[in-house]
Amino acid sequence: MEKVAIIILSVIILILTAIILVLRNKFRQTNRTLRELIKENDGQQSNPQKTSGDIYFKVNKEFILTFINESGADILGYDANELLNKPILQTLLEDNIANKEALETALSKMCRNQSTINTQILLLRKNGQKQLMLCRERPQLNEILECEGISFLCKDISEAKAWKENLSQFENRDLFIAGLNEQALMERLEHDFKLAQRYNKDFSCVVIELKDVYDFICRGIDFETADRMLKSVSDICFANLTPNANIGRVDKTKLALVLNGTSTEKAAVICQNIFQQAIPAIRKIGIDEYNACMFAIAYGGRKGYNDTYDGMWTRLRRHIKSALKKKDYRIINADSERL
Protein backbone atom coordinates (compact mmCIF):
# COMPACT_ATOMS: atom_id res chain seq x y z
CA MET A 1 0.00 0.00 0.00
CA GLU A 2 2.87 2.29 0.84
CA LYS A 3 4.39 1.76 -2.63
CA VAL A 4 1.05 2.52 -4.29
CA ALA A 5 0.74 5.73 -2.30
CA ILE A 6 4.26 6.77 -3.34
CA ILE A 7 3.45 6.08 -7.00
CA ILE A 8 0.21 8.09 -6.81
CA LEU A 9 2.01 10.95 -5.08
CA SER A 10 4.73 10.91 -7.76
CA VAL A 11 2.13 11.06 -10.51
CA ILE A 12 0.40 14.00 -8.81
CA ILE A 13 3.74 15.80 -8.47
CA LEU A 14 4.47 15.25 -12.16
CA ILE A 15 1.04 16.54 -13.13
CA LEU A 16 1.44 19.61 -10.92
CA THR A 17 4.91 20.23 -12.34
CA ALA A 18 3.52 20.05 -15.89
CA ILE A 19 0.71 22.43 -14.98
CA ILE A 20 3.19 24.86 -13.45
CA LEU A 21 5.34 24.76 -16.60
CA VAL A 22 2.31 25.36 -18.83
CA LEU A 23 1.12 28.24 -16.67
CA ARG A 24 4.61 29.74 -16.65
CA ASN A 25 4.75 29.61 -20.44
CA LYS A 26 1.28 31.16 -20.68
CA PHE A 27 2.36 33.91 -18.30
CA ARG A 28 5.47 34.64 -20.33
CA GLN A 29 3.45 34.69 -23.57
CA THR A 30 0.86 37.01 -22.03
CA ASN A 31 3.60 39.25 -20.71
CA ARG A 32 5.19 39.47 -24.17
CA THR A 33 1.80 40.19 -25.74
CA LEU A 34 1.16 42.90 -23.17
CA ARG A 35 4.53 44.52 -23.85
CA GLU A 36 3.91 44.41 -27.60
CA LEU A 37 0.46 45.97 -27.20
CA ILE A 38 1.79 48.75 -25.01
CA LYS A 39 4.77 49.28 -27.33
CA GLU A 40 2.47 49.43 -30.37
CA ASN A 41 0.10 51.75 -28.55
CA ASP A 42 2.96 54.13 -27.69
CA GLY A 43 4.80 53.63 -30.98
CA GLN A 44 3.10 56.46 -32.79
CA GLN A 45 4.42 58.99 -30.30
CA SER A 46 7.95 57.59 -30.16
CA ASN A 47 8.24 57.03 -33.93
CA PRO A 48 7.25 60.29 -35.66
CA GLN A 49 8.07 59.14 -39.19
CA LYS A 50 5.00 56.90 -39.05
CA THR A 51 2.71 59.90 -38.85
CA SER A 52 4.46 62.19 -41.30
CA GLY A 53 1.68 63.95 -43.18
CA ASP A 54 -0.95 62.34 -40.94
CA ILE A 55 -2.67 63.63 -37.82
CA TYR A 56 -2.14 61.59 -34.66
CA PHE A 57 -3.65 62.49 -31.31
CA LYS A 58 -4.90 60.93 -28.06
CA VAL A 59 -7.78 61.63 -25.71
CA ASN A 60 -8.54 60.27 -22.25
CA LYS A 61 -11.87 58.90 -21.05
CA GLU A 62 -13.19 62.44 -20.59
CA PHE A 63 -12.27 63.16 -24.22
CA ILE A 64 -9.58 65.64 -23.25
CA LEU A 65 -6.62 65.89 -25.64
CA THR A 66 -3.49 64.47 -24.02
CA PHE A 67 -1.23 64.39 -27.09
CA ILE A 68 -1.07 65.53 -30.72
CA ASN A 69 1.88 65.27 -33.07
CA GLU A 70 3.39 68.57 -34.13
CA SER A 71 3.01 67.96 -37.87
CA GLY A 72 -0.66 67.04 -37.39
CA ALA A 73 -1.34 70.15 -35.34
CA ASP A 74 0.40 72.25 -38.00
CA ILE A 75 -1.81 70.74 -40.74
CA LEU A 76 -4.86 71.94 -38.80
CA GLY A 77 -3.36 75.38 -38.20
CA TYR A 78 -2.49 74.91 -34.51
CA ASP A 79 0.56 74.81 -32.35
CA ALA A 80 0.57 71.44 -30.57
CA ASN A 81 0.83 72.99 -27.09
CA GLU A 82 -2.31 75.09 -27.47
CA LEU A 83 -4.41 71.93 -27.94
CA LEU A 84 -3.16 69.95 -24.95
CA ASN A 85 -5.63 69.48 -22.09
CA LYS A 86 -8.45 70.93 -24.21
CA PRO A 87 -11.74 69.08 -24.93
CA ILE A 88 -11.71 67.50 -28.38
CA LEU A 89 -15.34 68.56 -28.92
CA GLN A 90 -14.40 72.22 -28.67
CA THR A 91 -11.24 72.04 -30.75
CA LEU A 92 -10.77 69.28 -33.34
CA LEU A 93 -14.40 68.12 -33.54
CA GLU A 94 -17.59 70.14 -33.85
CA ASP A 95 -19.37 70.23 -30.49
CA ASN A 96 -22.65 68.49 -31.29
CA ILE A 97 -24.69 65.52 -30.10
CA ALA A 98 -23.73 63.27 -33.02
CA ASN A 99 -19.98 63.62 -32.39
CA LYS A 100 -20.41 63.17 -28.65
CA GLU A 101 -22.43 59.98 -29.11
CA ALA A 102 -19.87 58.65 -31.63
CA LEU A 103 -17.03 59.17 -29.14
CA GLU A 104 -18.95 57.57 -26.29
CA THR A 105 -19.90 54.57 -28.44
CA ALA A 106 -16.30 54.07 -29.60
CA LEU A 107 -14.94 54.29 -26.04
CA SER A 108 -17.56 51.85 -24.73
CA LYS A 109 -16.71 49.35 -27.46
CA MET A 110 -12.99 49.63 -26.82
CA CYS A 111 -13.43 49.18 -23.07
CA ARG A 112 -15.39 45.96 -23.69
CA ASN A 113 -13.24 44.21 -26.28
CA GLN A 114 -10.24 46.46 -27.10
CA SER A 115 -11.30 46.66 -30.76
CA THR A 116 -9.97 48.95 -33.48
CA ILE A 117 -12.49 51.14 -35.32
CA ASN A 118 -12.06 52.56 -38.83
CA THR A 119 -14.33 55.47 -39.69
CA GLN A 120 -14.57 58.83 -41.44
CA ILE A 121 -14.70 62.04 -39.42
CA LEU A 122 -14.67 65.77 -40.11
CA LEU A 123 -11.82 67.48 -38.26
CA LEU A 124 -12.03 71.21 -37.63
CA ARG A 125 -9.16 73.42 -38.67
CA LYS A 126 -8.33 76.46 -36.58
CA ASN A 127 -9.91 78.74 -39.20
CA GLY A 128 -13.22 76.85 -38.89
CA GLN A 129 -12.96 74.87 -42.12
CA LYS A 130 -13.77 71.15 -42.02
CA GLN A 131 -11.42 68.50 -43.37
CA LEU A 132 -12.61 64.98 -44.18
CA MET A 133 -10.40 62.29 -42.64
CA LEU A 134 -10.16 58.53 -42.75
CA CYS A 135 -9.51 57.69 -39.11
CA ARG A 136 -8.26 54.62 -37.27
CA GLU A 137 -9.32 54.69 -33.63
CA ARG A 138 -7.55 52.37 -31.18
CA PRO A 139 -7.72 51.90 -27.39
CA GLN A 140 -4.96 53.25 -25.17
CA LEU A 141 -4.03 50.40 -22.81
CA ASN A 142 -2.27 50.44 -19.46
CA GLU A 143 -0.12 47.67 -17.93
CA ILE A 144 -3.14 45.54 -17.04
CA LEU A 145 -4.79 46.00 -20.44
CA GLU A 146 -7.44 48.45 -19.26
CA CYS A 147 -8.58 51.09 -21.74
CA GLU A 148 -7.61 54.57 -20.60
CA GLY A 149 -8.63 56.49 -23.71
CA ILE A 150 -8.56 56.52 -27.51
CA SER A 151 -5.76 57.17 -29.98
CA PHE A 152 -6.61 58.58 -33.43
CA LEU A 153 -4.56 58.22 -36.59
CA CYS A 154 -6.16 60.34 -39.33
CA LYS A 155 -5.40 60.59 -43.05
CA ASP A 156 -6.76 63.34 -45.27
CA ILE A 157 -9.16 61.88 -47.86
CA SER A 158 -10.98 65.07 -48.89
CA GLU A 159 -9.14 65.17 -52.21
CA ALA A 160 -9.82 61.47 -52.78
CA LYS A 161 -13.53 62.06 -52.18
CA ALA A 162 -13.54 64.89 -54.71
CA TRP A 163 -11.85 62.62 -57.25
CA LYS A 164 -14.42 59.92 -56.55
CA GLU A 165 -17.28 62.36 -57.14
CA ASN A 166 -15.64 63.54 -60.36
CA LEU A 167 -15.21 59.94 -61.47
CA SER A 168 -18.88 59.24 -60.72
CA GLN A 169 -19.91 62.20 -62.86
CA PHE A 170 -17.53 61.06 -65.60
CA GLU A 171 -19.03 57.55 -65.57
CA ASN A 172 -22.55 58.99 -65.91
CA ARG A 173 -21.66 60.95 -69.04
CA ASP A 174 -22.19 60.17 -72.68
CA LEU A 175 -18.87 61.53 -73.89
CA PHE A 176 -20.04 61.91 -77.46
CA ILE A 177 -22.78 64.45 -76.77
CA ALA A 178 -21.50 65.58 -73.34
CA GLY A 179 -24.88 64.66 -71.81
CA LEU A 180 -26.01 61.78 -69.62
CA ASN A 181 -25.66 58.18 -70.71
CA GLU A 182 -28.79 56.01 -70.92
CA GLN A 183 -28.64 54.59 -67.40
CA ALA A 184 -27.97 57.94 -65.75
CA LEU A 185 -30.68 59.58 -67.87
CA MET A 186 -33.34 57.07 -66.82
CA GLU A 187 -32.37 57.42 -63.17
CA ARG A 188 -32.60 61.20 -63.49
CA LEU A 189 -35.97 60.93 -65.26
CA GLU A 190 -37.38 58.75 -62.47
CA HIS A 191 -35.99 60.96 -59.70
CA ASP A 192 -37.17 64.26 -61.19
CA PHE A 193 -40.59 62.89 -62.17
CA LYS A 194 -41.26 61.65 -58.62
CA LEU A 195 -40.08 64.95 -57.17
CA ALA A 196 -42.42 66.89 -59.47
CA GLN A 197 -45.25 64.53 -58.55
CA ARG A 198 -44.65 64.97 -54.83
CA TYR A 199 -44.77 68.78 -55.03
CA ASN A 200 -47.30 68.88 -57.90
CA LYS A 201 -44.98 70.77 -60.25
CA ASP A 202 -44.85 70.90 -64.03
CA PHE A 203 -42.69 68.26 -65.65
CA SER A 204 -42.12 67.43 -69.33
CA CYS A 205 -39.93 65.26 -71.48
CA VAL A 206 -38.90 65.61 -75.13
CA VAL A 207 -37.49 62.85 -77.35
CA ILE A 208 -35.81 63.54 -80.71
CA GLU A 209 -35.40 60.38 -82.82
CA LEU A 210 -32.71 60.76 -85.50
CA LYS A 211 -32.47 57.11 -86.58
CA ASP A 212 -33.71 57.48 -90.17
CA VAL A 213 -31.56 60.46 -91.08
CA TYR A 214 -28.58 58.92 -89.26
CA ASP A 215 -28.90 55.65 -91.19
CA PHE A 216 -29.36 57.56 -94.46
CA ILE A 217 -26.11 59.48 -93.90
CA CYS A 218 -24.23 56.32 -92.85
CA ARG A 219 -25.28 54.52 -96.04
CA GLY A 220 -24.93 57.49 -98.40
CA ILE A 221 -21.87 59.24 -97.02
CA ASP A 222 -20.02 57.80 -93.98
CA PHE A 223 -20.28 57.16 -90.26
CA GLU A 224 -18.17 60.20 -89.36
CA THR A 225 -20.63 62.55 -91.07
CA ALA A 226 -23.56 60.84 -89.34
CA ASP A 227 -21.87 61.29 -85.97
CA ARG A 228 -21.21 64.92 -86.79
CA MET A 229 -24.93 65.37 -87.55
CA LEU A 230 -25.84 63.77 -84.20
CA LYS A 231 -23.46 66.02 -82.33
CA SER A 232 -24.74 69.10 -84.17
CA VAL A 233 -28.36 68.36 -83.20
CA SER A 234 -27.37 67.64 -79.60
CA ASP A 235 -25.71 71.08 -79.45
CA ILE A 236 -29.01 72.62 -80.59
CA CYS A 237 -30.81 70.72 -77.83
CA PHE A 238 -28.36 72.03 -75.25
CA ALA A 239 -28.95 75.56 -76.49
CA ASN A 240 -32.70 75.15 -75.92
CA LEU A 241 -32.55 73.53 -72.46
CA THR A 242 -34.48 75.16 -69.63
CA PRO A 243 -32.84 75.77 -66.24
CA ASN A 244 -32.35 72.61 -64.11
CA ALA A 245 -32.97 70.41 -67.17
CA ASN A 246 -30.92 67.44 -68.38
CA ILE A 247 -30.16 65.90 -71.74
CA GLY A 248 -29.05 62.37 -72.58
CA ARG A 249 -28.80 59.81 -75.35
CA VAL A 250 -30.83 56.59 -75.62
CA ASP A 251 -30.60 53.77 -78.18
CA LYS A 252 -27.72 55.59 -79.91
CA THR A 253 -29.91 57.95 -81.98
CA LYS A 254 -32.51 59.24 -79.50
CA LEU A 255 -31.85 62.50 -77.68
CA ALA A 256 -34.02 62.97 -74.59
CA LEU A 257 -34.60 66.20 -72.69
CA VAL A 258 -35.78 65.97 -69.07
CA LEU A 259 -37.47 69.33 -68.43
CA ASN A 260 -38.06 70.11 -64.74
CA GLY A 261 -40.66 72.75 -63.99
CA THR A 262 -41.67 72.95 -67.65
CA SER A 263 -45.26 72.73 -68.88
CA THR A 264 -46.21 70.81 -72.03
CA GLU A 265 -46.99 74.14 -73.71
CA LYS A 266 -43.43 75.32 -73.10
CA ALA A 267 -42.12 71.90 -74.19
CA ALA A 268 -44.01 72.30 -77.48
CA VAL A 269 -42.26 75.62 -78.10
CA ILE A 270 -38.88 74.00 -77.38
CA CYS A 271 -39.69 71.22 -79.85
CA GLN A 272 -40.58 73.75 -82.52
CA ASN A 273 -37.31 75.62 -81.98
CA ILE A 274 -35.27 72.42 -82.18
CA PHE A 275 -37.08 71.26 -85.32
CA GLN A 276 -36.58 74.61 -87.10
CA GLN A 277 -32.91 74.85 -86.12
CA ALA A 278 -31.99 71.20 -86.71
CA ILE A 279 -32.96 71.06 -90.40
CA PRO A 280 -30.58 73.86 -91.51
CA ALA A 281 -27.83 72.36 -89.35
CA ILE A 282 -28.25 68.97 -91.02
CA ARG A 283 -28.28 70.55 -94.49
CA LYS A 284 -24.97 72.25 -93.72
CA ILE A 285 -23.19 68.91 -93.72
CA GLY A 286 -24.33 68.18 -97.30
CA ILE A 287 -27.80 66.62 -96.86
CA ASP A 288 -30.65 67.70 -99.13
CA GLU A 289 -33.72 69.35 -97.66
CA TYR A 290 -36.04 66.34 -98.09
CA ASN A 291 -33.74 63.90 -96.25
CA ALA A 292 -32.67 66.48 -93.69
CA CYS A 293 -36.24 66.36 -92.34
CA MET A 294 -36.20 62.61 -91.63
CA PHE A 295 -36.54 62.80 -87.86
CA ALA A 296 -39.42 62.92 -85.41
CA ILE A 297 -39.88 64.75 -82.13
CA ALA A 298 -42.33 63.67 -79.42
CA TYR A 299 -43.09 65.50 -76.20
CA GLY A 300 -45.27 64.84 -73.19
CA GLY A 301 -45.74 65.73 -69.54
CA ARG A 302 -46.93 64.40 -66.24
CA LYS A 303 -50.61 63.50 -66.61
CA GLY A 304 -52.15 63.84 -63.17
CA TYR A 305 -51.17 62.40 -59.82
CA ASN A 306 -51.58 58.76 -60.83
CA ASP A 307 -49.21 59.00 -63.79
CA THR A 308 -45.79 57.33 -63.57
CA TYR A 309 -42.44 58.14 -65.12
CA ASP A 310 -42.29 54.82 -66.97
CA GLY A 311 -45.84 55.39 -68.22
CA MET A 312 -44.83 58.75 -69.64
CA TRP A 313 -41.66 57.29 -71.15
CA THR A 314 -43.65 54.44 -72.73
CA ARG A 315 -46.05 56.93 -74.36
CA LEU A 316 -43.16 58.85 -75.87
CA ARG A 317 -41.42 55.74 -77.22
CA ARG A 318 -44.65 54.34 -78.63
CA HIS A 319 -45.37 57.52 -80.59
CA ILE A 320 -41.78 57.72 -81.85
CA LYS A 321 -41.89 54.10 -83.00
CA SER A 322 -45.18 54.70 -84.83
CA ALA A 323 -43.82 57.86 -86.48
CA LEU A 324 -40.78 56.04 -87.87
CA LYS A 325 -42.91 53.18 -89.11
CA LYS A 326 -45.18 55.61 -91.00
CA LYS A 327 -42.32 57.91 -92.06
CA ASP A 328 -44.25 60.65 -90.24
CA TYR A 329 -41.51 63.17 -89.58
CA ARG A 330 -42.97 65.94 -87.42
CA ILE A 331 -43.60 67.12 -83.86
CA ILE A 332 -45.95 64.82 -81.90
CA ASN A 333 -47.87 65.51 -78.69
CA ALA A 334 -47.75 62.11 -77.01
CA ASP A 335 -50.34 63.13 -74.42
CA SER A 336 -53.16 64.10 -76.79
CA GLU A 337 -52.65 62.19 -80.03
CA ARG A 338 -53.94 58.65 -80.29
CA LEU A 339 -52.23 55.89 -82.20
Side-chain angles (χ1 to χ4, degrees), residues 128-294:
Q129 293 181 343
K130 296 178 181 179
Q131 195 162 343
L132 182 64
M133 294 280 175
L134 179 63
C135 187
R136 187 202 67 191
E137 302 176 22
R138 304 181 93 176
Q140 293 185 74
L141 305 176
N142 60 19
E143 289 79 2
I144 57 174
L145 295 181
E146 289 180 339
C147 180
E148 295 185 328
I150 306 174
S151 68
F152 296 77
L153 178 62
C154 302
K155 295 180 178 291
D156 183 8
I157 60 170
S158 54
E159 185 174 346
K161 183 179 180 183
W163 275 103
K164 184 177 180 181
E165 290 175 351
N166 289 336
L167 178 61
S168 177
Q169 293 179 3
F170 181 81
E171 290 174 342
N172 289 336
R173 289 286 161 185
D174 182 310
L175 298 182
F176 182 71
I177 69 163
L180 298 175
N181 61 31
E182 183 168 349
Q183 180 179 346
L185 177 72
M186 298 312 296
E187 290 174 356
R188 176 54 54 185
L189 175 64
E190 178 181 6
H191 174 270
D192 291 356
F193 183 96
K194 290 180 177 179
L195 204 62
Q197 189 175 51
R198 180 185 303 171
Y199 296 105
N200 195 28
K201 292 184 177 180
D202 287 331
F203 181 86
S204 299
C205 186
V206 172
V207 177
I208 303 99
E209 176 58 277
L210 299 158
K211 183 178 185 304
D212 283 359
V213 65
Y214 185 89
D215 289 345
F216 171 80
I217 297 173
C218 288
R219 290 192 299 266
I221 306 177
D222 53 42
F223 289 102
E224 289 75 14
T225 304
D227 286 342
R228 194 160 71 250
M229 178 276 301
L230 193 63
K231 180 65 170 63
S232 179
V233 177
S234 72
D235 290 342
I236 292 171
C237 292
F238 271 108
N240 285 277
L241 277 183
T242 57
N244 302 318
N246 287 282
I247 181 174
R249 184 163 61 137
V250 181
D251 300 334
K252 190 176 181 180
T253 57
K254 289 184 180 68
L255 301 176
L257 282 63
V258 178
L259 304 175
N260 295 299
T262 303
S263 65
T264 52
E265 291 79 12
K266 176 62 176 176
V269 174
I270 292 173
C271 291
Q272 190 66 37
N273 292 337
I274 292 174
F275 196 84
Q276 291 176 353
Q277 295 169 26
I279 295 174
I282 296 173
R283 293 193 64 189
K284 278 185 178 180
I285 60 175
I287 309 302
D288 63 275
E289 183 175 2
Y290 176 80
N291 290 302
C293 300
M294 291 195 305

Side-chain angles (χ1 to χ4, degrees), residues 36-192:
E36 289 173 0
L37 284 171
I38 294 174
K39 183 178 179 181
E40 182 181 6
N41 191 63
D42 295 334
Q44 296 288 349
Q45 185 172 351
S46 61
N47 195 7
Q49 66 266 23
K50 283 186 179 181
T51 60
S52 178
D54 299 330
I55 300 172
Y56 177 71
F57 57 90
K58 297 179 181 180
V59 298
N60 59 22
K61 286 187 174 182
E62 286 72 42
F63 307 121
I64 303 298
L65 286 157
T66 58
F67 171 80
I68 183 168
N69 63 333
E70 291 185 5
S71 60
D74 185 63
I75 290 172
L76 296 173
Y78 288 97
D79 180 86
N81 291 326
E82 65 180 307
L83 289 172
L84 296 182
N85 302 315
K86 299 286 182 64
I88 187 175
L89 286 174
Q90 297 176 12
T91 51
L92 300 186
L93 293 179
E94 189 174 4
D95 190 0
N96 56 42
I97 295 176
N99 283 335
K100 184 178 180 181
E101 290 180 348
L103 288 170
E104 291 173 346
T105 300
L107 180 63
S108 175
K109 188 175 182 179
M110 292 177 186
C111 288
R112 288 197 309 270
N113 52 28
Q114 301 171 3
S115 58
T116 296
I117 299 173
N118 294 308
T119 185
Q120 293 183 16
I121 62 175
L122 287 171
L123 290 186
L124 283 177
R125 299 173 63 89
K126 189 174 183 178
N127 59 10
Q129 293 181 343
K130 296 178 181 179
Q131 195 162 343
L132 182 64
M133 294 280 175
L134 179 63
C135 187
R136 187 202 67 191
E137 302 176 22
R138 304 181 93 176
Q140 293 185 74
L141 305 176
N142 60 19
E143 289 79 2
I144 57 174
L145 295 181
E146 289 180 339
C147 180
E148 295 185 328
I150 306 174
S151 68
F152 296 77
L153 178 62
C154 302
K155 295 180 178 291
D156 183 8
I157 60 170
S158 54
E159 185 174 346
K161 183 179 180 183
W163 275 103
K164 184 177 180 181
E165 290 175 351
N166 289 336
L167 178 61
S168 177
Q169 293 179 3
F170 181 81
E171 290 174 342
N172 289 336
R173 289 286 161 185
D174 182 310
L175 298 182
F176 182 71
I177 69 163
L180 298 175
N181 61 31
E182 183 168 349
Q183 180 179 346
L185 177 72
M186 298 312 296
E187 290 174 356
R188 176 54 54 185
L189 175 64
E190 178 181 6
H191 174 270
D192 291 356

Side-chain angles (χ1 to χ4, degrees), residues 301-313:
R302 185 175 64 87
K303 296 177 65 175
Y305 187 77
N306 294 324
D307 197 9
T308 62
Y309 79 95
D310 54 341
M312 182 186 68
W313 183 249

